[in-house]
Amino acid sequence: MNGGSSTMRGTKGTVVIGGPSKSTLGNSSAAMKLILDNAKQVEKPPPNPIKKEGWMEKRGHKRKNWTKRWFVLKKNCIEYYKSTTTKIPQGIIILDGAKISKDVGEKNLKEIRSERKDENCFLIRTRTGIDYLCRGYTDKDMSEWMLAIRIRLMELDGQIIKPPDRALSSLVEECSAAVSDYRKSFRERPKGVDEYDGNKLFGVNLDVYMFSRSSSIDCPAIITSAVENIYATGLREEGIFRLSASAEEIARLKEAYDLGHYISHKNLSPHTSACLLKLYFRELPDPLLTFKLYPRWLRILLFKDEASKLEKVRELISALPVLNRNIASIVFKLMYAIAQNVAENKMTSVNLSVTVAQTLMRPRSDDPTVGLVDAGKVGELVKWMIDSYKDIWETKRIPPPVPTRAGRGGLTITSQQSAERTGNLSKSMGSLILTQQV
């Protein structure tokens, strides 16, 4: 306080609250300008933008009566009003640390059933334990409100974050061909890309999804995020890829992914990441190792010597689309790393093949019995590919197989021809000398 004026110091300046000081007493306009200029420097509170708004019913805490209220979902709370024109809310539901569920509790369920209000109800429970029972006018209303609130809770919890510039490209680049070239592999617009909404992730073919993405993204973020989390916390986790996670949590995360959100796996259980990864691969319309190559994959088992198997599996890897090839390298490297920790996680390559084989490779048939007939062969092949990861992906040179009787061995392939056949894959595996085309 000085000369009839008081000041308040903010983070970006000083605001004059009282009258002018002696130096500005003779010039009231200058004093007013000083007040206004300093007031502009005070930090304004951050905006709380509206995420969703609409009518719902809310059950009172004391009288237990249902009242119609105008709900407004904001950044960190839900406000509810008597009408759309009311300025002051009737109440505020703090969302930080809150939970939302269709399970309203046995006691509430009995009461609302007697009132015939049990349809389209859901419960919001705050961090302090206060319950808010809400009801949409239709099932669609309820679903939309629950989804919007769940997404907001995930944002507050740090699960939904801004996507990085690149989706952990090092996971891909150290395994196989340069991922940045995948767009060059699109000879034409993928089938179905014109009908694609641009957000949905699950149940969408890799080429359609990635064709619509930014060129800075290497592969679907769910793969890199889940794999990173499993490497960080799950390699020694007992039953990884075998034990299930919470079905409700998986459904919630899948829902967020299909809305185009980027999910951080940092605080997720590695079992949750593994289950999401399996679900993603299972729902691909065309599996990772593709329908087209399925019969050829199974024929690999007909070869008895390792060199021939390696030659054939590399041919098929080079025949995969670039995206599939790179993602397969990530998946099998992860499976190999898990199998190396079998003493702690109890997951042998056999156990892993049982849990993931059918999600990576399946026949093009609507008859489920076809897949069951081949299940043993698929599992055996995937188990061998996990065990042979280093020989398949990392070996620079393959020893030539022992030649067979003249006239039955086939043609010799030079290293230059081999490089042409394997394409970009040869960049990561080195020059391959293949001697004997079967």
Side-chain angles (χ1 to χ4, degrees):
M1 191 77 66
N2 183 17
S5 67
S6 63
T7 61
M8 180 178 70
R9 296 194 175 272
T11 56
K12 287 191 176 180
T14 303
V15 180
V16 179
I17 297 178
S21 63
K22 289 181 179 180
S23 60
T24 58
L25 192 58
N27 191 342
S28 59
S29 62
M32 182 57 67
K33 184 176 185 301
L34 177 63
I35 292 172
L36 294 175
D37 288 345
N38 282 305
K40 291 177 182 178
Q41 298 180 46
V42 177
E43 286 187 335
K44 295 180 179 179
N48 199 351
I50 294 174
K51 302 286 184 178
K52 180 176 173 60
E53 56 186 350
W55 290 106
M56 279 198 298
E57 288 187 346
K58 174 190 163 295
R59 194 166 187 251
H61 287 100
K62 294 181 179 180
R63 297 182 181 179
K64 308 294 184 182
N65 58 317
W66 290 89
T67 52
K68 184 179 179 180
R69 291 289 181 260
W70 179 256
F71 281 75
V72 179
L73 172 61
K74 294 191 173 182
K75 185 176 181 180
N76 55 7
C77 67
I78 300 174
E79 298 174 352
Y80 51 92
Y81 300 79
K82 277 189 174 181
S83 70
T84 56
T85 58
T86 307
K87 301 298 182 182
I88 301 175
Q90 291 288 107
I92 298 175
I93 305 172
I94 303 299
L95 291 179
D96 189 21
K99 304 290 183 183
I100 183 171
S101 175
K102 285 187 71 174
D103 182 2
V104 298
E106 188 175 346
K107 182 181 177 181
N108 285 330
L109 185 59
K110 286 180 179 179
E111 292 176 353
I112 62 178
R113 274 181 176 169
S114 65
E115 301 163 3
R116 297 184 179 179
K117 294 280 189 177
D118 54 313
E119 292 183 354
N120 312 322
C121 289
F122 62 93
L123 183 74
I124 304 173
R125 176 167 292 166
T126 67
R127 176 183 284 176
T128 57
I130 300 175
D131 288 349
Y132 292 87
L133 197 57
C134 304
R135 180 175 179 269
Y137 287 99
T138 65
D139 183 68
K140 183 181 178 183
D141 282 345
M142 178 197 68
S143 298
E144 289 178 353
W145 270 105
M146 289 190 70
L147 176 58
I149 295 170
R150 274 199 298 264
I151 295 298
R152 191 67 209 106
L153 291 175
M154 291 173 69
E155 290 173 342
L156 290 171
D157 194 40
Q159 284 189 328
I160 293 180
I161 60 176
K162 182 181 178 182
D165 291 336
R166 293 188 69 81
L168 299 174
S169 57
S170 61
L171 282 176
V172 183
E173 290 169 352
E174 64 189 26
C175 292
S176 58
V179 197
S180 56
D181 292 334
Y182 81 84
R183 287 180 175 272
K184 296 178 182 178
S185 67
F186 290 126
R187 297 179 180 177
E188 55 187 24
R189 290 174 65 83
K191 185 178 180 181
V193 74
D194 294 327
E195 295 79 30
Y196 177 54
D197 67 3
N199 286 326
K200 188 173 171 61
L201 171 67
F202 285 81
V204 177
N205 271 326
L206 272 170
D207 56 352
V208 173
Y209 180 82
M210 293 305 297
F211 189 86
S212 307
R213 299 270 80 72
S214 164
S215 59
S216 65
I217 301 300
D218 302 326
C219 65
I222 186 174
I223 296 173
T224 47
S225 298
V227 168
E228 182 191 44
N229 189 37
I230 295 169
Y231 270 121
T233 64
L235 289 184
R236 296 176 176 84
E237 188 75 17
E238 185 171 342
I240 189 69
F241 278 99
R242 176 175 58 81
L243 297 180
S244 59
S246 164
E248 184 179 346
E249 183 179 26
I250 295 297
R252 174 171 55 84
L253 292 167
K254 178 185 176 184
E255 201 170 39
Y257 268 119
D258 279 342
L259 288 172
H261 294 291
Y262 181 87
I263 309 298
S264 169
H265 286 234
K266 185 177 180 180
N267 296 319
L268 294 182
S269 157
H271 295 292
T272 301
S273 294
C275 287
L276 279 170
L277 206 55
K278 286 195 298 182
L279 180 63
Y280 172 73
F281 287 128
R282 187 184 305 123
E283 293 194 1
L284 283 176
D286 190 13
L288 183 65
L289 300 182
T290 72
F291 287 134
K292 181 180 179 180
L293 298 179
Y294 181 78
R296 294 174 64 187
W297 284 115
L298 294 188
R299 284 200 290 272
I300 289 174
L301 296 173
L302 299 176
F303 298 93
K304 301 304 180 184
D305 62 289
E306 288 294 300
S308 296
K309 280 186 179 180
L310 289 171
E311 177 186 352
K312 283 300 176 183
V313 86
R314 284 171 176 164
E315 285 182 10
L316 293 184
I317 288 170
S318 66
L320 286 170
V322 177
L323 281 168
N324 300 55
R325 183 192 314 163
N326 289 309
I327 293 170
S329 71
I330 295 175
V331 172
F332 281 100
K333 183 175 184 178
L334 176 63
M335 297 296 119
Y336 179 79
I338 292 171
Q340 298 308 296
N341 290 275
V342 63
E344 294 165 281
N345 60 38
K346 315 299 182 189
M347 293 299 291
T348 64
S349 56
V350 174
N351 294 336
L352 287 168
S353 67
V354 169
T355 60
V356 304
Q358 296 292 316
T359 69
L360 303 177
M361 185 190 309
R362 64 181 186 270
R364 192 199 300 270
S365 174
D366 295 330
D367 185 356
T369 60
V370 175
L372 291 175
V373 169
D374 291 341
K377 296 178 182 178
V378 171
E380 182 184 349
L381 176 62
V382 170
K383 185 260 182 195
W384 176 80
M385 290 178 71
I386 293 172
D387 290 335
S388 306
Y389 168 78
K390 286 195 171 183
D391 292 329
I392 294 170
W393 297 97
E394 295 183 0
T395 301
K396 302 295 183 182
R397 181 183 178 90
I398 309 173
V402 178
T404 58
R405 191 190 315 171
R408 297 181 63 185
L411 217 48
T412 298
I413 302 174
T414 66
S415 59
Q416 181 180 357
Q417 290 170 323
S418 172
E420 292 174 357
R421 287 176 58 183
T422 54
N424 287 335
L425 189 62
S426 63
K427 295 179 182 177
S428 64
M429 298 194 302
S431 300
L432 304 180
I433 301 179
L434 307 178
T435 65
Q436 188 177 19
Q437 182 180 14
V438 183

